[in-house]
Amino acid sequence: MKKKLGVLLAIVAMLVTVIGCGSNNAGGNNSGSPANNSAPGAEAPADTSKESYKVAISQVVEHPSLDAIREGFLAALKDAGIVEGENLKLDYNNAQGDPTNYMTIAQKIAGDKYDLVLGIATPSTQALVSQVKNSPILFGGVTDPIDAKLVDNLEKPGGNVSGASDTNPEAIVQLMDFIAEHFKDVKTVGVVMNQGEPNAVIMAGHAEKALEKHGIKLIRASATNTSEVKQAAESLVGRADALYTTLDNTVVEAVSTVIQVANEHDIPFFSSDRDTVEKGAFATVGFKYYDHGYQVGEMAVAVLKEGKQVGDMPVTVPDKLDLILNLKAAQEQGIEVTDAMKDLVKDKENNLLE
């Protein structure tokens, strides 16, 4: 009996020893645990990357510049390993230029939870900011984020909103200076614009101030929807020595009609974006909207994979400006392209369009 009792006590002692060792390992000193590789008191860096992401996009209308923003944005995500159909669930919404759709789309997005929301152009972003409070918001294709009341500080916006403005006022000044320097007969510049689009009003104001320094007058022709754009352009024939368009979504969507008027009447046509020059305007000082979208996409990657707060990210503006000339459009509009004009183009391979 004593012998059996001794064996039993020995077994109990062994179990206590095993349990004690197991408790020590559970406390985090296991050599296989990540914490064992850190210095005492140090915290391992937070890994905010996820297996999948949910992103919503609200785009005001389809046209080449805005489509390029979206494409560049998604390309930046893809380059960072966030790929639609694999680990990215994308909710893409296009308002088709209908103001009643801006709020409807924003309310729908606000009713769900997204890892990130992208607004493309001012009206769509304004609706998103008014409704979406539970997701970080980035924007692209916005002319003046402060005037649009999206943010109140470009360096540190705060809240859940930031992004990239597609306008550097210096680009407008450079383009107006180019007109004044190389088109001595131009005394009036006509701008087709939707007075209801804040970005168009702001840019036209910048252009007017820049032209005033050269004694050139800006004439506005209003178009409230795409069907009125051609009529507005035609109203400038005989009154304007040159035509100009801003980053006006209404006008850009129907810009082929402005090009048609410019070509038929040999009127030099200047635009605020590269895509319109590629379509048939003569010149702009600008950048690629794909690159602009890619820049916003890089901000999105920082939010999604690095855990950065959008409110701490400065609003950016295009900084790689260059004169872009369409030589074929010059022929259509009766423009003699001089060597002095060509010499102003920094990247002649990509920005002298044949």
Side-chain angles (χ1 to χ4, degrees):
M1 186 68 178
K2 291 181 178 179
K3 184 176 180 180
K4 290 182 178 180
L5 181 59
V7 172
L8 180 60
L9 291 172
I11 292 173
V12 172
M14 291 175 62
L15 289 173
V16 171
T17 302
V18 170
I19 292 171
C21 291
S23 298
N24 287 339
N25 284 339
N29 286 328
N30 190 313
S31 61
S33 71
N36 193 58
N37 296 325
S38 299
E43 292 184 4
D47 181 5
T48 58
S49 61
K50 299 168 56 176
E51 291 183 1
S52 62
Y53 302 88
K54 191 175 178 182
V55 174
I57 297 177
S58 179
Q59 181 172 323
V60 66
V61 72
E62 289 182 349
H63 69 60
S65 296
L66 302 187
D67 292 343
I69 293 174
R70 186 179 74 252
E71 291 162 5
F73 174 83
L74 294 175
L77 295 187
K78 184 176 181 180
D79 288 348
I82 303 175
V83 183
E84 185 179 6
E86 294 181 11
N87 62 348
L88 170 62
K89 183 177 180 182
L90 185 68
D91 179 12
Y92 170 60
N93 304 270
N94 195 304
Q96 299 299 336
D98 185 347
T100 61
N101 291 336
Y102 306 154
M103 193 61 67
T104 301
I105 292 171
Q107 289 171 342
K108 185 200 83 167
I109 292 174
D112 205 340
K113 182 68 175 75
Y114 292 88
D115 297 302
L116 186 99
V117 176
L118 172 68
I120 300 180
T122 301
S124 289
T125 307
Q126 286 175 317
L128 288 173
V129 170
S130 73
Q131 299 296 313
V132 179
K133 307 300 180 183
N134 61 346
S135 300
I137 301 172
L138 290 174
F139 56 77
V142 171
T143 298
D144 191 331
I146 292 180
D147 184 81
K149 295 180 171 57
L150 303 179
V151 300
D152 55 17
N153 188 307
L154 297 179
E155 290 300 316
K156 194 169 184 179
N160 68 326
V161 184
S162 188
S165 170
D166 64 350
T167 298
N168 185 335
E170 181 60 25
I172 300 174
V173 174
Q174 289 181 21
L175 182 61
M176 298 305 119
D177 288 348
F178 173 78
I179 294 172
E181 175 67 23
H182 297 277
F183 293 81
K184 299 296 186 182
D185 294 335
V186 170
K187 304 301 178 184
T188 53
V189 173
V191 58
V192 180
M193 60 182 292
N194 180 355
Q195 299 278 2
E197 288 207 25
N199 54 327
V201 174
I202 292 166
M203 294 183 71
H206 287 317
E208 187 169 38
K209 288 181 181 178
L211 290 171
E212 283 177 353
K213 296 177 182 178
H214 302 285
I216 300 173
K217 184 178 179 181
L218 186 77
I219 303 173
R220 293 168 174 81
S222 181
T224 58
N225 55 60
T226 55
S227 64
E228 297 176 358
V229 171
K230 184 176 181 181
Q231 182 179 355
E234 289 174 336
S235 75
L236 291 168
V237 176
R239 297 195 299 139
D241 301 318
L243 299 178
Y244 168 63
T245 56
T246 67
L247 299 175
D248 183 322
N249 296 306
T250 300
V251 177
V252 172
E253 189 177 5
V255 76
S256 59
T257 61
V258 182
I259 294 169
Q260 180 183 348
V261 171
N263 291 349
E264 287 178 355
H265 297 276
D266 286 346
I267 304 174
F269 175 30
F270 304 88
S271 73
S272 295
D273 64 295
R274 181 190 181 92
D275 294 309
T276 299
V277 173
E278 291 179 349
K279 278 189 170 185
F282 168 57
T284 190
V285 173
F287 56 94
K288 290 185 178 181
Y289 269 86
Y290 180 92
D291 294 340
H292 174 67
Y294 196 95
Q295 185 178 29
V296 183
E298 290 178 317
M299 297 176 73
V301 170
V303 173
L304 296 173
K305 301 195 77 171
E306 300 172 22
K308 290 191 176 180
Q309 300 296 311
V310 287
D312 295 333
M313 305 174 77
V315 174
T316 62
V317 297
D319 56 3
K320 297 179 180 178
L321 300 176
D322 194 7
L323 179 66
I324 304 166
L325 302 178
N326 184 328
L327 303 183
K328 183 177 179 181
Q331 293 178 343
E332 296 286 346
Q333 294 161 22
I335 300 168
E336 179 185 353
V337 181
T338 65
D339 290 339
M341 292 181 187
K342 293 179 181 179
D343 287 343
L344 294 173
V345 180
K346 300 171 188 173
D347 183 358
K348 293 180 174 55
E349 182 178 352
N350 293 305
N351 292 335
L352 273 179
L353 312 181
E354 300 290 344

